[in-house]
Amino acid sequence: MEQERIQILVLVVTIIVIVLAATLVVFLLYFQKKKTAYILKQREIQQRFDKEITKSKLEIQEQALQNISWEIHDNVGQLLSVAKIQLNILQLNAPQEQQIKIQETGDIVSKSLQELRGLAKSLNPDAIKNRGFEESISNEVDRFNRLKFVNASLKILGEPFSLSNEKEIILFRIFQEFSNNTLKYSKAKNLAISINYTNNQLEFIAEDDGIGFDLTDESNQNGIGLLNMKSRTKLIGGEIEIKSAKEKGTKIFITCPK
Amino acid sequence: MIYLFIIYPILYLIILITGIINYAKIKDNFYLKLFLFFIAYSLTTEILGFVIGVLYEINTYPINNGWILVSHFFYLFFFLSLLKSAFKRNIVKYGIVCYTIYTLINISFFSDYLTEFLDINSIVGGILIVISIMIYFSELVQSDGILNLKKSMFFWISLGALFFYIGVIPVDVIAKFINFGVVLRVITLLLNLLMAGFFITGFIVSEKEYNR
Ligand SMILES: Nc1ncnc2c1ncn2[C@@H]1O[C@H](COP(=O)(O)OP(=O)(O)O)[C@@H](O)[C@H]1O
Ligand SMILES: [Mg+2]
């Protein structure tokens, strides 16, 4: 009898202990849920913050590029124009044998002026806005071919439409980053670009046939160019895929929603 | 009535089978694989216990005492592996060292491993395990790592072990003074069922990426 009572007592104690442990666990789960919610919110805030930072960085960059562009156009351009005019005056009363030389020099100055204007336009965000994405790209392609940097080609598919100014500028800057890399590192002969307008998005592909590089290699992750391409694409809600292999060339594939 | 003991081997068999079916989920962590071995070992113990003890009615103390020691060391090292803070790890490490020394002394001089139940060992080990689980929980509360506890097998194992050991301590204490009667058997059975339930649920709902 006594034994039975003790056993019941043990049962009760066990139940109490278990209930206490259960309470503890429930409390833990509740706390963890609260914390999860809090962390998720923090992350969201952080992401929004990062986005703002990227955005303002871009704005500052664009501003700087615009200033450089103005500087080239107004200052250097002006100086070259003056040089051209003076060459013309010089040509008038120069002896016959120097006429041709001066004529050639004048042509070089004109060409420089033209190239500088082109460069100024490709740097200036307003010019990109005015000309639009497709035409800006096509101008760059012409410029590369004219200067014999690479053999560039542009292919356009689908029914063209334009994106918002912001998206177009950013896409163009991504392309510039890519083509800079191609010119700087790839030793490529060809640069193939294609723009494909589909129903709800724009697909942009640029591909060089140069030496390529190892994407996973630490030493290539130091540059900010590739990172910038990614963060910029994210900013306009698009997706980017960068592919490269040694001796096979490098390729970017971007999709950007309308 | 005595044949009720067949439930134990069956219970461990079910845990083991669920574990093997879900092996892919746990194969990235050494201690989770060890856990599966521990379950297999427990199953063997229960089968031997049933055959030798219940059917042939021979003394099974060495088998059961072996299981008690192995399970204590397994759980202590298991929870030690989950802790990150050096201070908390040290607490558990000292616990393990003290427990080892105590066990060695106890078996060498005081208790007979072969003919009696290592009751104090069982109580002390159980308390140590409960403490290390509490320490593990306290670290969980502080860490940002796991955003979804329900998908972590470690958490389910800790629940099973916590409820089992916290519930079994009063039983062990009182079993020192009275005969192991029906009510105590029922409590032990229920605790085992509860623990098995947590383990089985863990194998089913946990996810691979949380079991590393
Ligand atoms: N088109 C390319 N062809 C060959 N190598 C490239 C190309 N684009 C990038 N790389 C390699 O990847 C590295 C990182 O590029 P990037 O992030 O633009 O940084 P940065 O241009 O400042 O060096 C470069 O240093 C170069 O070695
Ligand atoms: Mg670069």
Side-chain angles (χ1 to χ4, degrees):
Chain A
M1 189 60 218
E2 184 61 14
Q3 294 243 332
E4 206 132 278
R5 293 246 297 276
I6 296 177
Q7 288 200 36
I8 299 292
L9 190 69
V10 174
L11 179 65
V12 172
V13 170
T14 307
I15 290 174
I16 292 174
V17 168
I18 292 274
V19 168
L20 282 179
T23 318
L24 179 85
V25 170
V26 167
F27 182 74
L28 182 77
L29 288 175
Y30 173 77
F31 185 83
Q32 188 254 350
K33 203 172 162 189
K34 274 268 146 86
K35 186 152 182 169
T36 306
Y38 175 75
I39 290 173
L40 285 181
K41 201 167 162 202
Q42 284 285 306
R43 261 189 210 164
E44 200 181 294
I45 291 173
Q46 182 66 36
Q47 266 170 10
R48 220 180 301 149
F49 182 72
D50 286 348
K51 216 168 172 179
E52 281 305 314
I53 292 270
T54 321
K55 221 171 172 173
S56 56
K57 260 196 226 153
L58 278 183
E59 269 160 23
I60 294 168
Q61 259 173 24
E62 291 302 330
Q63 193 59 49
L65 287 176
Q66 186 159 47
N67 287 341
I68 295 172
S69 155
W70 282 337
E71 211 58 26
I72 290 175
H73 189 267
D74 298 351
N75 271 340
V76 188
Q78 233 36 14
L79 291 177
L80 281 178
S81 301
V82 174
K84 178 90 200 322
I85 292 166
Q86 290 194 344
L87 274 178
N88 281 344
I89 297 170
L90 207 63
Q91 198 183 13
L92 286 181
N93 23 20
Q96 194 65 35
E97 65 272 20
Q98 288 184 2
Q99 288 256 344
I100 298 179
K101 267 269 176 272
I102 295 175
Q103 175 71 39
E104 278 174 0
T105 315
D107 285 350
I108 293 174
V109 173
S110 304
K111 231 176 158 183
S112 309
L113 199 56
Q114 205 187 331
E115 286 311 326
L116 278 181
R117 289 231 170 84
L119 183 63
K121 273 188 194 157
S122 95
L123 292 180
N124 190 344
D126 287 333
I128 303 169
K129 267 184 227 167
N130 290 338
R131 287 197 288 195
F133 177 63
E134 195 183 302
E135 207 191 318
S136 303
I137 295 271
S138 140
N139 274 320
E140 285 289 273
V141 167
D142 290 344
R143 197 162 71 90
F144 292 157
N145 287 332
R146 208 167 50 231
L147 297 171
K148 302 214 164 48
F149 286 155
V150 276
N151 177 18
S153 65
L154 172 62
K155 200 166 70 182
I156 290 166
L157 302 164
E159 192 62 40
F161 53 79
S162 45
L163 299 165
S164 71
N165 282 336
E166 192 200 18
K167 282 183 183 173
E168 293 204 335
I169 291 177
I170 290 178
L171 275 179
F172 185 66
R173 293 295 182 223
I174 296 174
F175 166 69
Q176 277 183 317
E177 182 62 52
F178 179 82
S179 58
N180 276 342
N181 280 349
T182 298
L183 300 187
K184 261 202 290 192
Y185 308 114
S186 77
K187 307 197 176 95
K189 289 202 177 63
N190 300 299
L191 170 62
I193 300 153
S194 71
I195 302 175
N196 184 9
Y197 298 94
T198 70
N199 275 341
N200 42 24
Q201 64 184 15
L202 183 148
E203 294 171 4
F204 178 81
I205 303 172
E207 184 173 14
D208 71 35
D209 60 352
I211 57 170
F213 64 105
D214 187 356
L215 273 168
T216 54
D217 192 344
E218 285 283 333
S219 64
N220 292 327
Q221 321 224 315
N222 295 334
I224 50 164
L226 298 174
L227 284 181
N228 273 348
M229 288 191 214
K230 288 178 190 157
S231 59
R232 287 177 187 199
T233 318
K234 222 164 144 194
L235 199 64
I236 52 175
E239 268 165 45
I240 185 169
E241 200 181 325
I242 304 177
K243 273 193 193 157
S244 189
K246 279 247 172 331
E247 309 308 326
K248 293 242 165 64
T250 308
K251 178 177 184 176
I252 51 168
F253 181 85
I254 301 176
T255 56
C256 174
K258 234 178 185 172
Chain B
M1 177 64 196
I2 210 81
Y3 284 90
L4 206 65
F5 282 107
I6 189 88
I7 289 188
Y8 289 104
I10 292 177
L11 218 50
Y12 276 107
L13 189 64
I14 297 176
I15 305 176
L16 187 64
I17 290 174
T18 328
I20 290 173
I21 292 174
N22 292 292
Y23 180 73
K25 288 182 188 174
I26 60 160
K27 70 176 195 310
D28 289 343
N29 185 284
F30 171 73
Y31 281 93
L32 288 181
K33 284 189 277 193
L34 201 60
F35 177 71
L36 209 55
F37 275 104
F38 171 65
I39 294 293
Y41 165 70
S42 307
L43 175 63
T44 319
T45 301
E46 293 298 347
I47 291 175
L48 286 180
F50 184 74
V51 174
I52 299 178
V54 179
L55 299 185
Y56 290 99
E57 297 187 11
I58 303 172
N59 149 29
T60 55
Y61 282 120
I63 298 173
N64 288 335
N65 285 337
W67 185 82
I68 286 173
L69 295 181
V70 170
S71 67
H72 287 173
F73 281 111
F74 168 74
Y75 282 119
L76 289 175
F77 279 106
F78 181 83
F79 291 113
L80 178 64
S81 81
L82 296 178
L83 296 178
K84 298 210 173 58
S85 135
F87 175 67
K88 290 175 179 171
R89 287 179 65 89
N90 279 337
I91 299 179
V92 178
K93 275 185 202 163
Y94 286 128
I96 294 176
V97 171
C98 295
Y99 179 67
T100 312
I101 294 171
Y102 166 75
T103 307
L104 288 178
I105 294 175
N106 186 28
I107 292 176
S108 319
F109 302 111
F110 301 108
S111 304
D112 189 349
Y113 181 86
L114 298 178
T115 57
E116 59 181 310
F117 175 55
L118 292 178
D119 44 17
I120 308 266
N121 255 81
S122 187
I123 295 166
V124 173
I127 291 175
L128 277 180
I129 291 172
V130 170
I131 291 176
S132 49
I133 294 174
M134 294 295 174
I135 295 178
Y136 166 59
F137 282 177
S138 78
E139 199 164 281
L140 271 190
V141 168
Q142 285 167 11
S143 79
D144 294 352
I146 299 179
L147 286 182
N148 209 334
L149 282 180
K150 287 177 203 126
K151 292 180 181 161
S152 154
M153 186 66 200
F154 304 108
F155 183 63
W156 286 104
I157 293 178
S158 70
L159 285 187
L162 174 69
F163 284 111
F164 179 76
Y165 282 105
I166 221 172
V168 104
I169 291 169
V171 177
D172 280 345
V173 171
I174 219 65
K176 229 176 124 51
F177 305 107
I178 64 169
N179 287 331
F180 214 85
V182 176
V183 180
L184 296 193
R185 287 194 203 291
V186 171
I187 297 176
T188 317
L189 179 64
L190 290 180
L191 289 175
N192 270 289
L193 283 174
L194 191 64
M195 178 172 71
F198 281 121
F199 291 168
I200 292 168
T201 317
F203 276 125
I204 294 172
V205 306
S206 76
E207 285 176 12
K208 191 175 177 206
E209 58 200 282
Y210 296 89
N211 292 344
R212 287 185 211 282

